[in-house]
Amino acid sequence: KAGVTQTPRYLIKTRGQQVTLSCSPISGHRSVSWYQQTPGQGLQFLFEYFSETQRNKGNFPGRFSGRQFSNSRSEMNVSTLELGDSALYLCASSPNAANTEAFFGQGTRLTVV
Amino acid sequence: GENVEQHPSTLSVQEGDSAVIKCTYSDSASNYFPWYKQELGKGPQLIIDIRSNVGEKKDQRIAVTLNKTAKHFSLHITETQPEDSAVYFCAASTSGGSYIPTFGRGTSLIVHP
C-alpha cells in the first residue's frame, strides 16, 4: 500500500509569489491534515479536511488556504509568500473520521527567497 | 488553547540503556496522546498512542504512561539501539469531532553504539 505522497519535495519561491502544494493520502483515507514545521515554532497545525469539508483550521493568516477533492487528494495554497513561510509542510492522512493514527508524508520543503 | 511541554530537548544514551522522554499538557480535556518519531529527511511516524482511559500501553520495547491527574505522559524506550536515534515528538489532543494535535518541541535522541 502506497504511503502519503507529497509533491513537490522541494520548492524555491520568491517573496510575493504564491505556491500550491499537493498531497495524495493513503488509499481509503478520507481525513487529511496539513502542518507547518519550522525550527523556531516546531510542528503547527494548519487545517484538517474530511470528505471535502474543512473541519478545523489552525491559527494562520488567510494567505494560507486549502481544499480537498472528491478523491481525498488535497492541496494547500500560500499566497503573497513571505520569508517566514520557509518551512517543511507536512501532510498526514488518517484511516478514521476522528483523525487518529495519522500517517505523515515526507513533506514539501519550501524556501522563500 | 492547549500547551505541551517536552523534556529533555536532547537525550544521549549508550546502546542498551533505557530512554525516557516526558511531556506535560495544560488542557484537562485532552484525551488522545500520540508519539511520533522523525528521522532525518522524513515525515513523523506514529510509534505509539494512548487514550485517557488507559494508564499505560506497551508495544515491544516502547511504552507510554499517562497520569491524567498530573497532566503528564512519558515515553519509555528500553534496550535502545542506534536505529532508535531520531527526534521524538509528543502530542496532546482533544476531540471536538476530530482530534487536532498540539505538539511538543521534540527530543533529539542519540544512541551511541
Side-chain angles (χ1 to χ4, degrees):
Chain A
K1 206 172 189 181
V4 178
T5 304
Q6 291 189 245
T7 55
R9 289 289 314 277
Y10 302 92
L11 208 47
I12 300 176
K13 290 285 187 178
T14 304
R15 266 185 306 172
Q17 286 186 313
Q18 75 162 18
V19 67
T20 299
L21 312 182
S22 180
C23 171
S24 293
I26 291 172
S27 178
H29 289 196
R30 290 189 291 160
S31 179
V32 173
S33 302
W34 288 89
Y35 302 85
Q36 181 194 64
Q37 187 174 30
T38 60
Q41 300 297 319
L43 267 163
Q44 292 187 288
F45 167 73
L46 280 157
F47 2 76
E48 183 239 347
Y49 290 89
F50 182 79
S51 292
E52 300 180 71
T53 299
Q54 184 182 93
R55 294 197 296 187
N56 291 283
K57 189 176 193 306
N59 190 23
F60 279 82
R63 299 183 298 106
F64 291 80
S65 63
R67 58 179 175 168
Q68 187 181 32
F69 301 97
S70 58
N71 61 358
S72 295
R73 192 177 69 85
S74 178
E75 288 181 348
M76 67 163 280
N77 184 279
V78 188
S79 62
T80 321
L81 284 165
E82 301 177 358
L83 295 178
D85 297 333
S86 295
L88 180 67
Y89 289 88
L90 292 158
C91 169
S93 73
S94 169
N96 55 64
N99 194 40
T100 59
E101 301 164 41
F103 293 79
F104 279 82
Q106 289 191 279
T108 294
R109 171 74 62 186
L110 172 65
T111 303
V112 183
V113 298
Chain B
E2 176 67 277
N3 182 51
V4 177
E5 297 205 354
Q6 183 172 346
H7 298 281
S9 56
T10 306
L11 181 57
S12 186
V13 301
Q14 288 296 129
E15 183 177 0
D17 287 351
S18 293
V20 180
I21 301 170
K22 298 182 180 182
C23 290
T24 60
Y25 61 99
S26 61
D27 187 349
S28 56
S30 286
N31 53 4
Y32 176 65
F33 306 90
W35 285 87
Y36 290 91
K37 173 184 180 183
Q38 187 173 25
E39 295 173 318
L40 205 58
K42 296 185 178 181
Q45 174 195 1
L46 178 69
I47 55 172
I48 196 166
D49 57 10
I50 191 168
R51 296 177 190 270
S52 58
N53 58 347
V54 174
E56 183 174 0
K57 186 176 177 181
K58 215 173 179 182
D59 183 3
Q60 299 182 342
R61 296 186 297 109
I62 291 172
V64 58
T65 58
L66 171 65
N67 183 326
K68 279 205 70 180
T69 305
K71 289 190 279 188
H72 68 70
F73 56 115
S74 301
L75 179 71
H76 305 253
I77 306 173
T78 58
E79 300 170 25
T80 54
Q81 300 164 4
E83 50 266 39
D84 294 330
S85 297
V87 179
Y88 291 80
F89 292 94
C90 64
S93 50
T94 309
S95 175
S98 54
Y99 290 92
I100 304 303
T102 299
F103 290 90
R105 295 306 299 269
T107 295
S108 178
L109 174 63
I110 303 162
V111 181
H112 299 280

